[in-house]
Amino acid sequence: MEEPKYRIRALHTEDTVTVYQAYRPGLGLPAARDGRFPADWKRDRMTWIKPSFLWMMYRCGWGTKEGQETVLAVEITREGFAWALRNACLSHYEAGFHADQASWKRQLRQAPARVQWDPERDLRLNPLPYRSLQLGLSGEASRRYADEWTVSITDVTALAHEVHGLVRAGDLEAAGRLLPREEPYPEPAGLLDHLRDQPPMTPKLKSPVPSIP
């Protein structure tokens, strides 16, 4: 079956979903050791989380880029993940999807989360024809992520290096067996209607970004 262009694929359980980030060791190692983000993790700035392990590898260069040497798998509650998505808006203006640029800019200023759909990556980090979700959190969403939604934090830098080594050796089959098992995420009906970069199949809501409870 052909993969749809816009779908969340993630490692998940009945209660949690795993996302990835990369940090400098001085921040990432204490976070993994303690299972929570330290006090010097800036809760007032935008942070981006990614359900795709391979997109994270593309972003951080398999954990080799400066300031991104420690790769973290952050398990968060599905309830929190859904809250962020419900209260997010697209990070870019799309003619024919948004009413106009002015209304989109208002949404962007007000929303505590934003979404980008970037090309998913294969083991060689080449772009694929379907998209991967990137979820940016700021303000209330960022604080909730760090202090309420996070269930566990695991250092997966060694895994990143091992997979990369197998890819460089040309053993893609062995590398693929090590990847996290990312499956289609069971999104509630309508959860992403205001976030897919395409004309919606159903009539638009008057307010694409729901109010925050």
Side-chain angles (χ1 to χ4, degrees):
M1 181 181 298
E2 184 178 355
E3 181 69 21
K5 185 176 181 180
Y6 300 99
R7 179 161 69 178
I8 299 173
R9 293 164 299 278
L11 177 66
H12 61 270
T13 69
E14 290 185 0
D15 302 311
T16 66
V17 56
T18 296
V19 297
Y20 299 94
Q21 296 191 290
Y23 291 100
R24 56 181 174 81
L27 195 152
L29 293 177
R33 180 193 65 215
D34 300 334
R36 65 187 305 274
F37 289 103
D40 62 343
W41 190 88
K42 297 185 184 301
R43 287 155 171 79
D44 57 351
R45 64 183 296 180
M46 175 75 70
T47 189
W48 288 86
I49 59 177
K50 306 155 184 67
S52 167
F53 179 81
L54 285 176
W55 205 96
M56 185 70 255
M57 296 305 98
Y58 167 72
R59 180 67 180 84
C60 72
W62 300 98
T64 63
K65 291 185 179 179
E66 184 177 359
Q68 301 184 59
E69 300 92 343
T70 304
V71 184
L72 301 179
V74 184
E75 192 178 18
I76 65 175
T77 65
R78 282 174 54 168
E79 181 181 3
F81 189 56
W83 185 95
L85 291 171
R86 285 197 306 270
N87 291 287
C89 71
L90 282 177
S91 64
H92 67 281
Y93 170 72
E94 184 67 22
F97 183 77
H98 297 105
D100 52 57
Q101 283 197 339
S103 62
W104 165 74
K105 287 180 179 179
R106 284 195 298 271
Q107 294 170 28
L108 197 64
R109 287 194 301 268
Q110 297 168 2
R114 59 188 62 178
V115 160
Q116 292 182 187
W117 293 97
D118 296 312
E120 180 60 284
R121 302 284 159 166
D122 64 16
L123 276 163
R124 296 191 185 278
L125 305 186
N126 295 315
L128 293 170
Y130 49 90
R131 301 290 174 134
S132 177
L133 177 85
Q134 321 303 323
L135 180 58
L137 308 174
S138 65
E140 183 179 359
S142 181
R143 294 189 294 272
R144 287 192 179 200
Y145 168 68
D147 299 323
E148 298 178 21
W149 303 341
T150 297
V151 175
S152 70
I153 302 177
T154 304
D155 183 349
V156 292
T157 310
L159 173 64
H161 292 169
E162 185 176 4
V163 174
H164 187 207
L166 289 168
V167 172
R168 294 178 66 184
D171 195 345
L172 299 186
E173 183 176 349
R177 288 197 295 268
L178 294 178
L179 293 178
R181 188 174 179 179
E182 294 170 4
E183 298 181 335
Y185 186 74
E187 61 190 68
L191 179 64
L192 299 179
D193 285 355
H194 64 296
L195 296 171
R196 289 191 170 100
D197 184 10
Q198 59 188 23
M201 298 300 293
T202 55
K204 294 181 183 178
L205 299 174
K206 291 184 179 179
S207 177
V209 179
S211 59
I212 302 171

